[in-house]
Amino acid sequence: MKTRFILIQTSHAGNVGAVARAMKVMGFDDLVLVAPRWPDVLSRSEAVERASGATDVLANARIVATLDEALEGVDTLCATAMTPRDFGPPTATPREYLPLLPQRSQGVAFLFGSERYGMRNEDVYRCHVALTIPTAPDYGSLNIAAAVQLIAYEWRQALGGFGVEPSATQVAPADAQAVAGMLEHWERALVDIGFLDPQAPKKLMPRLNRLFNRAQLTPEEIHILRGVAKAMQQGAGKEKR
């Protein structure tokens, strides 16, 4: 779905770069600036540095003079405002409003006001919703890039999200025979170091059995634990049996 992020009268070049980065990590690249403080904001060093790899978003961004010029091709406007306006659109959190949007919109624009004074009333009034991010009651000030990141994340989730890649190759757990052999080795080692009294074992080994079963040990981990048992035996001056 067409998704546009619109910054109105942005005053800090670094924030524009940070917004580009926040957008790119969520897969969005349509950025429009309305009457920014600096006409060359997209190429200023602060913006490029803060973009940190998202300079393609800056390169494709547009600067326009009025909000009307920024709205071409979108039919749903979402203001971002901490304070509800009299006679303004309904207020909702991103999480409750955005999941409903893909079924009823062809293009959405998220509007963000100036860092100094937020969105003007007249800009909020023309929007379909005022999105508000719940914050601590005594401190609700969000940097504009942080606000964009939160909105972009919630919108990406509403669109289906991205898959999560596993951090490492999954290894099959060791089989029951390997676990049993390791437990027998540990039982001998615990006796050798005097930790386990074979005449009064109580429930130590069943509890260790349950612990290791719960851990879903891999073959490599079985090998490590058997090495620990061997070291315990050697430290106790016992030969491996």
Side-chain angles (χ1 to χ4, degrees), residues 13 30 34 37 42 47 69 102 117 124 142 145 163 176 193 210-211 222:
D30 189 350
V34 178
R37 177 184 179 187
L42 296 174
E69 297 174 78
Y117 49 79
V124 175
L142 273 174
I193 66 173
R210 183 171 63 180
L211 185 154
I222 291 287

Side-chain angles (χ1 to χ4, degrees), residues 82-225:
M82 295 297 297
T83 305
R85 269 53 167 196
D86 292 339
F87 311 111
T91 299
T93 67
R95 189 159 296 182
E96 64 186 358
Y97 183 81
L98 295 183
L100 307 174
L101 202 51
Q103 291 78 35
R104 63 190 190 197
S105 177
Q106 298 299 312
V108 59
F110 298 103
L111 282 60
F112 298 82
S114 165
E115 300 94 324
R116 290 177 293 175
Y117 49 79
M119 289 190 64
R120 301 179 305 172
N121 285 342
E122 53 264 42
D123 293 333
V124 175
Y125 291 158
R126 66 189 303 174
C127 293
H128 298 86
V129 65
L131 297 177
T132 184
I133 298 169
T135 58
D138 57 344
Y139 189 70
S141 177
L142 273 174
N143 174 273
I144 188 170
V148 168
Q149 188 72 84
L150 287 168
I151 296 292
Y153 171 78
E154 294 290 349
W155 181 227
R156 176 54 64 192
Q157 293 301 105
L159 293 174
F162 293 127
V164 177
E165 295 293 331
S167 58
T169 302
Q170 299 298 312
V171 179
D175 59 31
Q177 184 179 27
V179 175
M182 181 273 294
L183 281 166
E184 290 175 4
H185 194 174
W186 264 67
E187 184 173 13
R188 294 193 301 268
L190 292 172
V191 171
D192 289 343
I193 66 173
F195 189 85
L196 174 62
D197 181 356
Q199 303 304 315
K202 299 184 179 179
K203 296 186 180 298
L204 176 61
M205 295 313 299
R207 285 173 174 159
L208 286 177
N209 196 340
R210 183 171 63 180
L211 185 154
F212 289 132
N213 283 341
R214 190 166 64 243
Q216 292 287 291
L217 299 169
T218 65
E220 180 64 25
E221 290 164 341
I222 291 287
H223 181 73
I224 292 170
L225 289 170

